[in-house]
């Protein structure tokens, strides 16, 4: 099964008039530009937004059941790929590339789950408060030297992820 990183890279290589679909289990997904094209020219599905730490960016995607694929192709040319299908837009379907960034900004920034909140890097005051909370809650008196060393390493990692341009403290 392809990862988000695989699909974002694969999708970024698609021509501007092609919707790249990835087969994930019994569903198809379209990512970023392909998701926007799908929403604009084919049909609307709920758009999800997820921050991917390894990419250091938000990934936008939609998904639909495999049984809806034929209806969504709707007479467009399509080709099988390693991950799923490429659907080529019809000649009368010309994307306005200036609308893509506006579409991305319109997708809700609300995290989908607690896991998404934990996966998003903290920065600024949020980071400072989280470090202080963890220091305050760490039971130093009942921990070994190794536990303390691991705890400090975790704090350093948290700070490094949230402050990529230098230490905030």
């Amino acid at each position: 099964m392809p990862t988000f990183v695989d699909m974002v890279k694969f999708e970024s290589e698609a021509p501007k008039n092609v919707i790249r679909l990835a087969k994930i289990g019994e569903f198809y997904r379209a990512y970023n530009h392909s998701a926007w094209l799908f929403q604009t020219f084919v049909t609307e599905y709920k758009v999800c937004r997820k921050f991917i730490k390894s990419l250091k960016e938000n990934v936008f995607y939609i998904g639909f059941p495999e049984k809806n694929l034929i209806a969504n192709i709707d007479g467009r040319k399509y080709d099988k790929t390693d991950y799923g299908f490429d659907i080529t837009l019809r000649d009368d379907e010309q994307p306005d590339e200036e609308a893509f960034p506006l579409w991305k900004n319109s997708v809700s920034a609300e995290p989908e789950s607690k896991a998404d909140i934990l996966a998003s890097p903290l920065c600024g005051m949020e980071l400072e408060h989280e470090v202080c909370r963890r220091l305050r809650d760490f039971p130093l008196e009942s921990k070994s030297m190794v536990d303390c060393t691991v705890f400090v390493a975790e704090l350093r990692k948290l700070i490094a992820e949230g402050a990529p341009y230098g230490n905030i403290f």
Side-chain angles (χ1 to χ4, degrees):
M1 183 165 86
T3 65
F4 277 105
V5 176
D6 296 334
M7 285 314 306
V8 168
K9 183 178 185 302
F10 185 61
E11 195 279 332
S12 68
E13 297 166 352
K16 295 295 181 195
N17 67 335
V18 169
I19 299 169
R20 287 231 151 126
L21 297 177
K23 187 166 179 2
I24 312 291
E26 295 191 19
F27 287 85
Y28 281 98
R29 278 191 180 175
Y31 296 86
N32 292 339
H33 194 264
S34 291
W36 168 66
L37 290 174
F38 198 93
Q39 290 281 103
T40 304
F41 295 108
V42 180
T43 191
E44 289 196 25
Y45 286 105
K46 181 180 184 261
V47 181
C48 298
R49 176 179 176 170
K50 183 176 182 113
F51 183 82
I52 306 299
K53 282 173 115 177
S54 59
L55 295 171
K56 295 184 174 116
E57 68 180 59
N58 284 309
V59 173
F60 303 86
Y61 61 96
I62 59 164
F64 59 89
E66 183 176 18
K67 65 182 179 180
N68 295 2
L69 178 64
I70 300 303
N72 287 327
I73 290 175
D74 191 30
R76 294 174 182 88
K77 181 180 176 251
Y78 63 94
D79 298 304
K80 185 139 179 61
T81 66
D82 292 341
Y83 294 118
F85 284 96
D86 279 357
I87 300 173
T88 304
L89 297 177
R90 293 187 285 252
D91 292 337
D92 62 327
E93 297 173 325
Q94 295 300 317
D96 175 13
E97 293 298 326
E98 294 176 7
F100 179 53
L102 299 173
W103 175 81
K104 289 194 321 186
N105 289 336
S106 72
V107 176
S108 173
E110 294 295 317
E112 297 171 9
S113 66
K114 186 175 180 183
D116 288 341
I117 293 170
L118 297 175
S120 300
L122 298 174
C123 60
M125 291 302 289
E126 290 175 340
L127 176 60
E128 186 175 341
H129 289 299
E130 179 63 14
V131 170
C132 290
R133 183 194 65 77
R134 289 186 186 191
L135 283 169
R136 187 178 52 251
D137 294 347
F138 186 74
L140 183 63
E141 63 281 352
S142 65
K143 296 294 182 180
S144 70
M145 184 72 102
V146 173
D147 293 334
C148 293
T149 303
V150 169
F151 175 69
V152 170
E154 289 172 358
L155 288 179
R156 290 183 67 161
K157 182 179 177 190
L158 178 68
I159 291 168
E161 288 174 355
Y165 302 109
N167 198 335
I168 62 167
F169 297 109

